[in-house]
Amino acid sequence: METIYASRISPFVRYASRAGWSEDALAELCRRHGVSRAVLDSLTARVPADGAFALVQEICAASQDDNLGLHLALEASASWMSLLGVLGMSLTNVREALEVSCGYARRMNTRAAMNTFVNESGQIHIRCNPELHEPRHFAEANLGATLTILCRSTATTIKAHWVSFRHAAPAALTDHMSLFGTTDLRFRAPISELVLPAYALDLPLRNADPALAAYMRSQADTLLEAMGGDDIASVVRRCLRDALERGAKPSIGGVARSFKMTSRTLQRRLAEAEVQFSTLLEQVRCEQAMTLLQRPQANLEDVAERVGFSDVRSFRRALKRRTGRTPSELRRYNHDDAVP
């Protein structure tokens, strides 16, 4: 069962309370969707993703605000992003905040984490997990809250290069352009993603607090230990991602050596976790490929070779399997669904 941090939906519940929902009505709403009302203000608790998304949709449907997610994002504080958000904003600069908080997020729950990486041009990509199917307002709120928190924590107006969403474009986009600072808004995309300028990485965080950062790291380490540490699939995915970003050709032997174990031992541990090395490798290759395909000059053969596919035919089949779209379809949305 997929889970997300309770703190990501608590702003919607707080809004419902302000809008006149009684405590009994909110408790019933949470009960119907399998979400514990008692944990919604926790920085570490997780709730079922499907139930959380259904809860958000019900609150948004009952509101009079067609851009509720965006408007809640304007109120966001670091606690929106759970314990890891508080940790990140207590560090020295944006680069360190993203590296540390997203590193912990991947180790705690790779499938539900927001992934962050920096491309060859230095642009920052903050990407929602494509395997989760967030409703529109939840996706807009999370990417909007990320930008709001970064702007507020650096005392700088950071404008996105572009933003993509998996849902269809709403009727009006004025609020989107205002919050994200760009007219390059892309809808019906394969992923929901916020892309920020390179200069933002080195912006200092004005509330940096070494003592708080040390304390929050200890809390994150304690939580990770209680969860049983890194699962083997998460570790392997991270190793594969790092190898591809270095331009290396990943193999099970190479990954096993980096963990100081034999290939047979790694295969056995993956089998115990009910995953296959080939599946993890294909997932990571497709993630990297989707990013490369968004560049206007991207050449299909070059992208396939860059992420390690033997030929374009294998590349097409893998992307279709993972995303339901061909490489051409993944590139086309940039032009067809972008707001001029």
Side-chain angles (χ1 to χ4, degrees), residues 35 44 46 92 99 168 173 214 229 250 303 308 318 337:
V35 174
T44 59
R46 305 185 74 92
T92 305
E99 287 177 352
L173 295 174
V303 172
D337 291 310

Side-chain angles (χ1 to χ4, degrees), residues 5 36 44 61 69 75 88 116 158 193 196 215 219 222 264 298 333:
Y5 282 108
S36 170
T44 59
E75 307 171 5
T116 300
I158 305 170
E193 183 174 32
L196 302 177
Y215 174 75
Q219 294 298 302
T222 298
R264 180 174 296 180
Y333 92 88

Side-chain angles (χ1 to χ4, degrees), residues 189-209:
I191 51 175
S192 295
E193 183 174 32
L194 170 66
V195 181
L196 302 177
Y199 73 80
L201 277 173
D202 296 314
L203 290 174
L205 297 172
R206 59 179 183 170
N207 292 323
D209 184 334

